[in-house]
C-alpha cells in the first residue's frame, strides 16, 4: 500500500467516526427500503420502512429465531429473498456460539468487500505505527483454512478466514509477504500444517518482521510446538529433507521448493533452542520481528502473560474485533497493552443497537473486565451515538446480510468516544461458562454432559453428589477439568482413597462427557486445539468446604448453589488440595458425520 493510500484510508476513518449518527441513520434507511418486502420483515412491518416502527415491531432475536429461514435457504427450499434482497454468494461459518452447531450467516458480494476493507484499515494503522513492513520483510502467521461445506442449495459455507485465503488478491501477495506457502495453509492435517508453517518460518527467519495468527492461543500453541519439536525441525533444516511423517503432498511439494541443506542455520537454531530459559525466545528465533499481530483480548487475554514471556517485550497487537456477522471495530491504538485495548466501532458496516446490562461490569486485579450479571435492564435499546461510558451493553446488529435486531452474543463495556463513535472493551460472551480457546461452552452444555456421564456410575453403586468445572490453560493446549465428589449409594465406605474407582469406568465418563459436548469442542479436540478432558475426584466434604468459602465471601447460604464453573484461585485450591484421583479421556470424541 502506498503512503498516500494509507493516509487516505485513515482520513476516511476520521470522517466516518465523526459522522457516525448520519451514517447509521442512512444505513438503516437503506437496509429497510431494500428489504421491507422480504418475507421476514413483511411479517412485522407490512412493507413499511419507518425506523421507529422497525424498533417497535421487529423483535430482538438470537440465531435460533432466524435459523428456520437460513435452513430453508441453505436446503434449497426457499430463495434467499425471504430474508434479504441482495443475492447471496455463500454463508459464513461462525464458531461464535456456545453449544450447538456453528451458525450459518449469509454473505453478499458487498459484505465480503466490507470484511476486506477492515483488513485494509488495520493495515493502514499498522503502517502508521510501524512503517510499511511489507517493504522490508515477511509475516510468519499461522493460518489454517477449513474445508468448505456445500449446502443442498449449492451455496458454500466457509469460515470468514478461509474465504479470505481463497481470494486471488491474497494468493497473489502470499509468496512475497508471508512465509507460509499456500499448500501448508490448506493442508487438512493441522499437525502437518503447523509443523511445515513453523519450519518455513524458521528457514526464512532473517526476513520475518511480523509474527502472528488470528488468535493468541494459536501463536502460543505454535511456540510450544517448537519447544517440543525443535530438534526434529533443526534436523530437517540441517539435512534439507522433510520428515517422513509429513505425507501431505502439498506440504511436501512446498518443502521441495524451499528446503535446502543449511547446517549453519540448523546449528544456530539448535543453540538458541537448547538454552535453559525460553523467555524472549521469539525475539531470538526471529530477531527482526517488530510486533506480534494477534487478538489478545476477551477470551484470549488469559494467554497474554505467557505470550509476553516468550515474546520478550515485543508489542502484542490486537488489531480488530470482527465476527461472521460483521466487521465491528478496529483498534486505533495498536500499541496499547492487551488489558487496556479499546476498540473503536465502525459505524458504516452494520446498524447497531445496544441493550444495557442491568449491573455494571467490574474490573478485576488483572484489569480484565468481569461481568457481574448478564440480565438486561429492559428491552429498550440505545443507539450507537447515545451509549454511556462505563456502562456494559450487549451488541445487536441489523445488517445488509439479512440480520435484523440480531444478538451477536457479545458483551462490551463502553470506555469513551473517538470523534462521535464509541470505543469499548470486550467483556465476554453472553452465557459462557468455560472456554480454553475460541470455543464457548455454556452452563447448559456442561450440565448435559455431566448428566450423560454420571449415568455410567450407576451400575457400580456410585452417586455423583457434587461437581463443578474449570478451564485449565496452565498448559497448552488447555483442557476442561471437571471436579467430581462421588459417594457409594449404600454403606459408609467413603471411598476417600479413590481405589474403589475403576479407571476404565472413570475414563469412559470423561469420554462420555466429551461426546456430549458441542460440535466446536469436539472438532477442537480432534485437531488437538483442546487437550483431553480430565475428571478430578475430590475427597468427600470438599464441596462443603467450597460452600464455606463462598459463604464467608458474602454469598447467601440460603441462595447458595454450587457454581457450575469456578474461576477464583482460592476456590480452585480448596478442591485441588483434596483431589484423590485424576482421570483423562483416552480418545478423541465422536465426530458428527
Ligand atoms: P466467529 O463468529 O466464529 O468469527 O467468532 C466471532 C467471535 O469471536 C466474536 O463474536 C467474539 O466473541 C470473538 N472475537 C472476535 N474478535 C475479538 C476480539 N478482538 N477480542 C475478543 N473477542 C473477539
Amino acid at each position: 500500500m502506498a503512503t498516500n493510500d494509507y493516509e487516505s484510508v485513515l482520513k476516511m476513518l476520521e470522517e466516518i467516526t465523526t459522522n457516525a449518527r448520519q451514517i447509521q441513520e442512512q444505513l438503516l434507511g437503506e437496509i429497510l427500503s431494500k428489504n421491507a418486502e422480504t418475507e421476514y420483515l413483511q411479517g412485522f412491518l407490512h412493507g413499511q420502512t419507518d425506523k421507529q416502527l422497525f424498533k417497535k415491531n421487529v423483535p430482538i432475536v438470537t440465531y435460533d429465531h432466524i435459523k428456520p429461514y437460513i435452513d430453508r435457504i441453505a436446503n434449497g427450499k426457499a430463495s434467499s429473498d425471504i430474508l434479504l434482497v441482495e443475492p447471496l454468494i455463500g454463508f459464513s461459518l461462525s464458531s461464535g456460539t456456545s453449544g450447538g452447531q456453528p451458525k450459518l450467516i449469509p454473505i453478499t458480494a458487498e459484505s465480503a468487500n466490507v470484511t476486506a476493507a477492515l483488513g485494509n484499515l488495520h493495515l493502514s494503522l499498522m503502517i502508521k505505527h510501524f512503517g510499511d513492513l511489507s517493504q522490508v520483510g515477511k509475516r510468519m502467521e499461522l493460518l489454517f483454512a477449513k474445508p468448505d461445506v456445500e449446502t443442498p442449495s449449492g451455496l458454500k459455507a466457509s469460515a470468514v478466514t478461509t474465504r479470505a485465503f481463497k481470494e486471488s488478491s491474497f494468493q497473489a501477495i502470499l509468496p512475497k509477504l508471508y512465509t507460509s506457502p499456500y499448500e501448508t495453509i490448506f493442508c487438512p492435517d493441522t499437525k502437518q500444517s503447523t509443523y511445515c508453517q513453523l519450519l518455513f518460518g524458521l528457514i526464512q527467519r532473517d526476513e520475518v518482521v511480523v509474527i502472528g495468527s488470528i488468535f493468541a492461543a494459536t501463536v502460543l500453541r505454535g511456540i510450544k510446538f517448537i519447544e517440543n519439536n525443535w530438534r526434529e525441525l533443526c534436523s530437517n533444516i540441517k539435512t534439507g529433507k522433510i520428515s517422513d511423517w509429513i505425507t501431505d503432498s502439498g506440504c511436501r511439494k512446498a518443502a521441495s521448493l524451499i528446503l535446502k541443506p543449511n547446517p549453519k542455520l540448523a546449528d544456530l537454531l539448535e543453540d538458541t533452542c537448547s538454552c535453559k530459559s525460553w523467555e524472549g525466545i521469539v525475539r531470538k528465533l526471529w530477531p527482526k520481528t517488530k510486533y506480534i499481530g494477534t487478538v489478545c483480548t476477551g477470551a484470549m487475554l488469559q494467554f497474554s502473560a505467557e505470550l509476553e514471556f516468550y515474546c520478550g517485550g515485543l508489542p502484542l497487537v490486537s488489531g480488530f474485533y470482527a465476527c461472521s456477522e460483521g466487521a465491528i471495530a478496529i483498534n486505533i491504538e495498536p500499541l496499547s497493552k492487551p488489558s487496556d485495548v479499546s476498540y473503536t466501532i465502525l459505524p458504516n458496516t452494520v446498524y447497531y443497537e445496544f441493550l444495557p446490562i442491568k449491573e455494571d461490569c467490574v474490573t478485576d486485579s488483572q484489569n480484565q473486565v468481569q461481568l457481574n450479571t448478564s440480565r438486561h435492564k429492559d428491552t429498550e435499546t440505545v443507539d450507537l451515538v447515545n451509549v454511556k461510558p462505563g456502562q456494559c451493553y450487549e451488541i445487536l446488529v441489523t445488517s445488509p446480510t439479512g440480520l435484523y435486531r440480531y444478538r451477536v452474543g457479545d458483551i462490551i463495556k463502553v470506555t469513551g468516544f473517538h470523534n462521535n463513535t464509541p470505543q469499548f472493551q470486550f467483556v465476554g460472551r453472553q452465557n459462557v461458562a468455560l472456554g480454553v480457546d475460541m470455543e464457548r461452552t455454556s452452563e447448559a452444555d456442561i450440565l448435559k454432559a455431566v448428566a450423560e456421564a454420571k449415568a455410567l456410575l450407576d451400575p457400580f453403586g456410585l452417586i455423583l453428589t457434587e461437581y463443578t468445572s474449570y478451564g485449565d490453560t496452565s498448559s497448552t493446549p488447555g483442557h476442561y477439568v471437571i471436579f467430581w465428589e462421588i459417594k457409594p449409594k449404600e454403606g459408609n465406605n467413603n471411598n476417600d482413597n479413590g481405589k474403589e474407582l475403576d479407571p476404565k469406568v472413570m475414563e469412559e465418563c470423561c469420554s462420555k462427557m466429551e461426546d456430549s459436548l458441542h460440535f466446536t469442542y469436539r472438532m477442537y479436540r480432534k485437531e488437538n486445539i483442546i487437550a483431553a478432558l480430565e475428571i478430578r475426584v475430590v475427597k468427600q466434604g470438599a464441596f462443603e468446604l467450597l460452600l464455606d468459602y463462598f459463604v464467608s465471601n458474602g454469598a447467601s447460604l440460603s441462595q447458595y448453589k454450587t457454581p457450575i464453573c469456578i474461576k477464583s484461585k482460592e476456590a480452585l485450591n480448596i478442591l485441588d488440595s483434596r483431589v484423590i484421583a485424576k482421570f483423562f479421556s483416552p480418545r478423541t470424541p465422536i465426530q458428527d458425520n
Side-chain angles (χ1 to χ4, degrees):
M1 185 183 280
T3 311
N4 47 357
D5 280 353
Y6 99 77
E7 281 173 346
S8 62
V9 172
L10 294 183
K11 197 161 157 252
M12 184 274 294
L13 177 65
E14 291 307 300
E15 281 166 17
I16 60 170
T17 51
T18 303
N19 302 320
R21 185 191 297 272
Q22 300 88 309
I23 290 172
Q24 283 278 284
E25 286 300 308
Q26 194 183 337
L27 189 56
L28 180 60
E30 279 168 18
I31 294 172
L32 292 181
S33 60
K34 263 191 196 163
N35 299 301
E37 304 286 343
T38 56
E39 182 184 317
Y40 184 84
L41 281 184
Q42 180 74 27
F44 306 111
L45 297 178
H46 313 292
Q48 298 189 62
T49 58
D50 180 73
K51 291 173 193 160
Q52 290 317 316
L53 199 68
F54 168 73
K55 288 190 188 166
K56 189 163 159 253
N57 286 7
V58 176
I60 292 170
V61 295
T62 61
Y63 183 73
D64 286 346
H65 289 85
I66 57 160
K67 189 171 181 294
Y69 290 84
I70 304 242
D71 285 349
R72 278 164 67 200
I73 301 169
N75 292 332
K77 298 265 159 53
S79 141
S80 58
D81 62 14
I82 58 170
L83 258 189
L84 73 158
V85 165
E86 198 94 356
L88 295 198
I89 58 167
F91 295 100
S92 267
L93 265 180
S94 162
S95 66
T97 171
S98 36
Q101 298 287 318
K103 297 178 276 188
L104 293 181
I105 308 290
I107 317 177
T108 63
E110 197 186 318
S111 70
N113 285 340
V114 169
T115 311
L118 176 72
N120 226 6
L121 189 50
H122 170 61
L123 188 60
S124 301
L125 283 156
M126 292 299 104
I127 295 177
K128 179 180 163 193
H129 285 88
F130 296 97
D132 190 356
L133 296 177
S134 65
Q135 299 301 321
V136 291
K138 289 187 172 183
R139 310 174 71 88
M140 209 285 292
E141 289 200 19
L142 290 173
L143 304 172
F144 303 95
K146 290 230 166 297
D148 293 339
V149 177
E150 177 117 13
T151 64
S153 64
L155 288 164
K156 282 194 179 134
S158 24
V160 186
T161 41
T162 302
R163 190 173 285 277
F165 302 152
K166 286 189 172 167
E167 289 289 329
S168 53
S169 53
F170 178 76
Q171 288 176 35
I173 58 162
L174 190 68
K176 184 173 174 274
L177 299 186
Y178 292 79
T179 57
S180 294
Y182 184 78
E183 294 84 353
T184 59
I185 298 173
F186 279 82
C187 168
D189 179 327
T190 335
K191 193 170 172 206
Q192 294 191 44
S193 168
T194 307
Y195 185 90
C196 293
Q197 293 197 51
L198 291 168
L199 178 66
F200 301 146
L202 288 169
I203 292 171
Q204 299 169 75
R205 74 188 284 265
D206 287 330
E207 290 179 72
V208 172
V209 284
V210 179
I211 301 238
S213 190
I214 312 282
F215 291 109
T218 317
V219 179
L220 205 51
R221 269 203 308 279
I223 299 168
K224 300 269 175 120
F225 194 98
I226 301 179
E227 209 168 357
N228 293 329
N229 297 284
W230 59 266
R231 284 188 180 82
E232 185 178 344
L233 287 161
C234 289
S235 146
N236 284 189
I237 296 171
K238 190 168 279 180
T239 59
K241 286 204 182 89
I242 194 140
S243 301
D244 289 342
W245 66 272
I246 303 293
T247 50
D248 180 81
S249 57
C251 287
R252 291 199 78 84
K253 187 177 137 226
S256 71
L257 299 175
I258 300 175
L259 197 55
K260 307 269 172 319
N262 191 341
K264 209 167 139 205
L265 175 62
D267 288 348
L268 192 145
L269 293 173
E270 258 172 15
D271 249 22
T272 311
C273 293
S274 52
C275 65
K276 246 195 186 152
S277 166
W278 267 47
E279 185 165 5
I281 193 76
V282 171
R283 275 212 144 132
K284 294 178 193 159
L285 290 175
W286 292 280
K288 293 187 183 154
T289 310
K290 297 284 182 291
Y291 69 90
I292 312 293
T294 190
V295 167
C296 290
T297 51
M300 294 294 118
L301 192 59
Q302 59 184 315
F303 302 111
S304 63
E306 207 176 352
L307 210 49
E308 268 156 11
F309 170 84
Y310 286 116
C311 295
L314 285 167
L316 302 181
V317 176
S318 298
F320 42 80
Y321 166 87
C323 48
S324 310
E325 290 87 349
I328 309 274
I330 187 99
N331 177 3
I332 59 173
E333 299 290 349
L335 293 175
S336 37
K337 277 182 19 211
S339 53
D340 296 338
V341 169
S342 273
Y343 295 98
T344 303
I345 290 197
L346 298 170
N348 60 339
T349 58
V350 293
Y351 178 76
Y352 302 92
E353 292 174 77
F354 295 88
L355 262 179
I357 302 292
K358 195 169 187 178
E359 284 174 38
D360 270 347
C361 313
V362 292
T363 304
D364 73 7
S365 53
Q366 289 154 359
N367 203 21
Q368 185 167 8
V369 187
Q370 301 277 343
L371 198 61
N372 277 344
T373 170
S374 59
R375 277 171 294 147
H376 297 111
K377 265 185 177 155
D378 41 44
T379 50
E380 272 294 295
T381 60
V382 179
D383 286 343
L384 178 77
V385 292
N386 294 326
V387 293
K388 297 213 163 30
Q391 169 74 49
C392 288
Y393 298 91
E394 184 180 349
I395 306 182
L396 307 183
V397 299
T398 294
S399 80
T401 59
L403 307 174
Y404 306 100
R405 311 196 81 205
Y406 169 94
R407 297 167 71 162
V408 175
D410 289 343
I411 311 283
I412 55 146
K413 180 179 187 176
V414 176
T415 50
F417 280 81
H418 176 72
N419 297 324
N420 297 313
T421 301
Q423 296 184 299
F424 66 85
Q425 277 192 302
F426 182 83
V427 176
R429 296 284 301 178
Q430 183 79 274
N431 185 28
V432 173
L434 280 184
V436 294
D437 197 279
M438 276 312 286
E439 91 297 353
R440 288 96 182 164
T441 298
S442 68
E443 291 197 353
D445 295 329
I446 298 166
L447 231 93
K448 179 172 151 269
V450 172
E452 301 231 347
K454 74 177 181 186
L456 300 180
L457 296 177
D458 217 41
F460 302 91
L462 295 169
I463 309 175
L464 177 69
T465 53
E466 291 266 24
Y467 71 90
T468 190
S469 64
Y470 160 69
D472 185 347
T473 51
S474 61
S475 55
T476 310
H479 72 292
Y480 287 15
V481 174
I482 318 287
F483 289 98
W484 276 19
E485 191 172 314
I486 299 173
K487 75 168 204 199
K489 273 186 196 161
E490 287 160 18
N492 294 330
N493 181 356
N494 67 9
N495 192 39
D496 258 4
N497 53 18
K499 276 190 191 142
E500 304 288 313
L501 301 171
D502 180 342
K504 283 249 154 53
V505 175
M506 293 305 295
E507 283 172 7
E508 193 43 36
C509 288
C510 295
S511 294
K512 187 79 184 170
M513 258 189 270
E514 294 201 305
D515 289 343
S516 26
L517 282 169
H518 51 86
F519 174 87
T520 311
Y521 176 89
R522 286 178 285 130
M523 186 177 72
Y524 278 18
R525 271 283 287 128
K526 185 172 154 219
E527 292 174 0
N528 202 28
I529 292 171
I530 299 181
L533 181 143
E534 177 185 4
I535 290 181
R536 291 186 194 160
V537 180
V538 291
K539 275 186 184 167
Q540 280 186 39
F543 276 82
E544 192 74 22
L545 294 168
L546 192 69
L547 175 148
D548 290 346
Y549 166 77
F550 281 115
V551 170
S552 68
N553 274 285
S556 140
L557 185 56
S558 56
Q559 285 169 263
Y560 178 80
K561 287 182 253 39
T562 306
I564 289 181
C565 172
I566 48 172
K567 298 210 160 77
S568 109
K569 266 204 182 116
E570 290 81 4
L572 191 62
N573 280 342
I574 292 170
L575 295 180
D576 252 344
S577 56
R578 289 166 180 85
V579 170
I580 49 174
K582 296 179 177 185
F583 304 94
F584 290 88
S585 170
R587 59 169 169 84
T588 47
I590 297 167
Q591 309 289 314
D592 294 334
N593 292 325

